[in-house]
Amino acid sequence: DIQLTQSPSFLSASVGDRVTLTCRASQDISTFLAWYQQRSGAAPKLLIYSGSTLQSGVPSRFSGTVSGTEFTLTISSLQPEDFATYYCQYLSSFPPWTFGQGTKVDIK
Amino acid sequence: DVQLVESGGGLVQPGGSLRLSCAASGFNLSGYTMNWVRQAPGEGLEWVAHISSSSSRTLHYADSTKGRFTISRDNAKNSLFLQMNSLTTEDTALYYCARGRPENYFDSWGQGTLVTVSS
């Protein structure tokens, strides 16, 4: 099975910071990756799919890029509501639909 | 608006059973793949089970739940279900239902229902 490794596990940042989160796949998965945001006590929310496509309604400060097996989620200017845990997910054609272990973005 | 509301969670003893429900509104559940995803306390997300749209009715399960859990749907009630048998303490988690898209990402999630397996 494909393994996803997110880094860092924890990140402390300030409002207005540019933040970059990484998800590395153990094999080439093309652009078959999604990103989710989970605020404390809430359900996950889809941010990006197919590596770089922004889900409808998601602010444009979120963006996704792909380089080989490395996927990046960038928040251009961190807002108070962006403090949350972020998960990547491999969008395989067949199960299991694996998630990364998550990156928690905390207030510095 | 798309809405998913889970119910049926609770406290159950090891070896027991529980049936979770997910009521959908704002869309026709029969036209979508649906999934159950769980999150143990303080842990990450784990995909649990998948049912394809009504036309093919393909079922898939995580290895950790295969043979114990059964996913099903009632299109007339616009609802999704998860029958969980032979529960262990490792099944303790918040269980979410999530709508799937053809590319297999999950675009809508419920608020979750908590399952606690404990003696």
Side-chain angles (χ1 to χ4, degrees):
Chain A
D1 290 349
I2 300 287
Q3 305 299 318
L4 298 177
T5 303
Q6 291 189 240
S7 60
S9 297
F10 299 94
L11 186 157
S12 291
S14 302
V15 172
D17 284 354
R18 180 181 181 88
V19 169
T20 299
L21 284 58
T22 299
C23 177
R24 188 180 301 273
S26 58
Q27 301 175 38
D28 182 10
I29 60 170
S30 186
T31 59
F32 298 131
L33 192 108
W35 289 96
Y36 299 86
Q37 175 194 67
Q38 186 177 32
R39 296 183 179 125
S40 180
K45 173 188 172 184
L46 177 68
L47 298 176
I48 286 170
Y49 59 92
S50 299
S52 61
T53 304
L54 202 64
Q55 170 70 349
S56 175
V58 174
S60 59
R61 63 180 180 273
F62 291 92
S63 63
T65 59
V66 184
S67 178
T69 59
E70 185 171 289
F71 296 78
T72 299
L73 174 68
T74 299
I75 309 172
S76 60
S77 178
L78 201 63
Q79 298 302 300
E81 61 269 30
D82 300 337
F83 292 98
T85 300
Y86 294 84
Y87 294 95
C88 57
Q89 180 202 14
Y90 171 39
L91 305 180
S92 62
S93 299
F94 303 100
W97 288 285
T98 309
F99 292 90
Q101 84 280 11
T103 292
K104 183 175 182 179
V105 178
D106 222 335
I107 301 173
K108 184 184 285 185
Chain B
D1 278 2
V2 171
Q3 193 172 13
L4 296 166
V5 179
E6 301 93 337
S7 60
L11 175 63
V12 61
Q13 292 188 337
S17 298
L18 214 52
R19 188 185 193 225
L20 306 184
S21 301
C22 171
S25 59
F27 72 102
N28 192 340
L29 188 139
S30 66
Y32 291 84
T33 64
M34 295 298 297
N35 298 269
W36 288 97
V37 177
R38 68 184 180 184
Q39 186 169 36
E43 301 295 325
L45 302 170
E46 179 189 16
W47 168 78
V48 170
H50 162 108
I51 184 168
S52 61
S53 60
S54 287
S55 57
S56 61
R57 291 282 183 130
T58 301
L59 309 179
H60 292 296
Y61 299 94
D63 287 346
S64 58
T65 63
K66 204 171 293 183
R68 300 186 301 122
F69 289 12
T70 303
I71 188 172
S72 63
R73 66 202 302 162
D74 184 334
N75 292 333
K77 295 182 178 179
N78 220 34
S79 292
L80 178 74
F81 304 100
L82 186 68
Q83 177 67 42
M84 304 186 297
N85 299 329
S86 303
L87 286 162
T88 74
T89 56
E90 298 197 345
D91 296 315
T92 293
L94 188 61
Y95 284 74
Y96 295 101
C97 66
R99 189 176 76 170
R101 299 313 304 261
E103 298 88 348
N104 292 315
Y105 57 86
F106 304 155
D107 70 343
S108 294
W109 297 63
Q111 85 290 347
T113 186
L114 182 63
V115 172
T116 302
V117 184
S118 175
S119 55

